[in-house]
Amino acid sequence: MSTSPEGIYEPGIVDPGLPVPNPTQPFWLSEPSKISTLQSPWSEHADIVIIGSGITAASLTRTLYAHRPDLKIVIVEARDLCSGATGRNGGHVKVISPGVWFERERNYGRQEALRVMQFEHSHLDAIAACVKENDIQCDFRLLEGLDCYHDEATLGRAKRALDEMRKSVPELAARYTLYTSRKLLDERHCSDKCIGAIGMPAASVWPYKLVTALFERFVDENGLSVQTNTSVTSIEDEDDSNVATVRTTRGDIRARHVVHATNGWMSHLVHELQPFVSPVRANVQRQVPQGATLRVNSSFWLLYASTALSGFATRRKTMTT
């Protein structure tokens, strides 16, 4: 977000522009899909144009085809297929710390806060089902997600959230396990600095392989049109028509519906979002515990301390081992 202390822009109204043509090459893009640079036969008309080719675009395309397999859908991507945030993602399938319960309850009310957290938890089953249904080889593994706490106040807040959940929504609280003994923390390869951890069902996945495998299937089975290395320069609505014109660096497409699935780049085309949305830097690292001879089935989310920048902002680093 444009107000993030880790953002690549100063806080305020910014135009992120278009994705740069010469990005860094992360490990996750080291095995390109066979359609990574696909440019399907061009068509000037479509039912739906989806801008972006990450997990949001893939999920939407999958849902649309499930209801209307005959839809004419075009994916427009400024660079190679799934080369943005999704393709650079470390692949953690886990919910945010239970400590956000208080903020969500205060901001949205108890029932809506519960719905949001249950929705987050549902992603694990949904992704697992998608991988199995489509027989996708994407390094999907079920494991335990661990929020590892290094600060008494931050851990105390999370523990109070769990206590509150146990009273009001025990079925949600049952998804979490609190570890505070040194023995249990050591068994989970938490560092000596870790004073407590909260475990929950989680998974790891190679997002790029998941998304590109779905797109490959849609191209083969549904005739999905994929236009990579094609930047959208503007979208023009026509007052007297039910279609919009999507102008790109390779030509125009007239579509009944246009979906923005471009993550932090969205505000370049939707200018009114510029005060709120812009790209930020993030990083993920892979670590192997010293002396470990077996693969550790944990996905770590390290929480160091609360900050004054937001209600429950923390410094976080994530890793899978």
Side-chain angles (χ1 to χ4, degrees), residues 59 87 93 110 123 129 137 155-156 172 177 201 205 234 245 247-248 253 280 283 285:
S59 176
V93 186
R110 176 163 297 186
H123 283 63
Q137 303 305 308
L155 174 61
L172 180 61
T177 303
V205 66
S234 65
T245 300
R247 302 201 181 278
T248 82
I253 308 173
V280 299
N283 58 75
Q285 53 182 276

Side-chain angles (χ1 to χ4, degrees), residues 9-230:
Y9 301 110
E10 293 296 322
I13 298 177
V14 295
D15 184 342
L18 293 171
V20 296
N22 56 339
T24 58
Q25 281 297 112
F27 166 78
W28 314 105
L29 300 180
S30 60
E31 299 179 22
S33 161
K34 66 182 182 181
I35 61 169
S36 62
T37 59
L38 177 63
Q39 291 184 341
S40 302
W42 190 265
S43 174
E44 296 182 350
H45 300 276
D47 294 316
I48 302 171
V49 168
I50 300 175
I51 309 171
S53 62
I55 196 165
T56 300
S59 176
L60 176 61
T61 303
R62 179 171 178 258
T63 301
L64 289 170
Y65 279 144
H67 293 279
R68 287 278 308 277
D70 60 328
L71 280 173
K72 189 173 183 179
I73 302 175
V74 180
I75 300 291
V76 182
E77 168 58 53
R79 299 188 295 217
D80 289 357
L81 192 71
C82 193
S83 60
T86 297
R88 296 162 180 269
N89 192 290
H92 294 262
V93 186
K94 70 180 292 296
V95 298
I96 295 176
S97 164
V100 299
W101 167 259
F102 292 118
E103 280 67 32
R104 289 175 172 173
E105 184 181 35
R106 182 181 67 245
N107 293 334
Y108 310 120
R110 176 163 297 186
Q111 289 305 311
E112 188 64 17
L114 174 60
R115 289 182 61 219
V116 169
M117 298 193 80
Q118 288 175 329
F119 176 69
E120 286 182 345
H121 279 281
S122 72
H123 283 63
L124 178 61
D125 292 337
I127 292 178
C130 177
V131 170
K132 182 178 181 180
E133 171 192 333
N134 295 281
D135 191 26
I136 298 174
Q137 303 305 308
C138 57
D139 294 357
F140 182 82
R141 283 195 303 141
L142 293 171
L143 41 75
E144 181 179 41
L146 287 172
D147 284 352
C148 300
Y149 294 85
H150 299 73
D151 172 75
E152 289 286 357
T154 309
L155 174 61
R157 186 179 185 83
K159 289 165 67 174
R160 291 193 299 275
L162 284 179
D163 289 339
E164 181 71 21
M165 287 184 207
R166 290 189 185 102
K167 296 175 185 176
S168 55
V169 281
E171 69 277 11
L172 180 61
R175 296 175 180 266
Y176 299 97
T177 303
L178 176 65
Y179 303 107
T180 54
S181 77
R182 191 69 255 165
K183 178 177 182 294
L184 292 176
L185 293 174
D186 289 342
E187 288 176 355
R188 284 156 181 80
H189 300 279
C190 298
S191 73
D192 294 340
K193 304 292 185 182
C194 177
I195 60 174
I198 295 177
M200 65 208 74
S204 64
V205 66
W206 195 321
Y208 175 81
K209 291 184 177 181
L210 171 62
V211 167
T212 56
L214 287 172
F215 279 134
E216 288 175 15
R217 180 177 293 263
F218 301 147
V219 168
D220 293 340
E221 297 183 358
N222 301 92
L224 173 68
S225 173
V226 174
Q227 306 299 338
T228 64
N229 296 289
T230 304

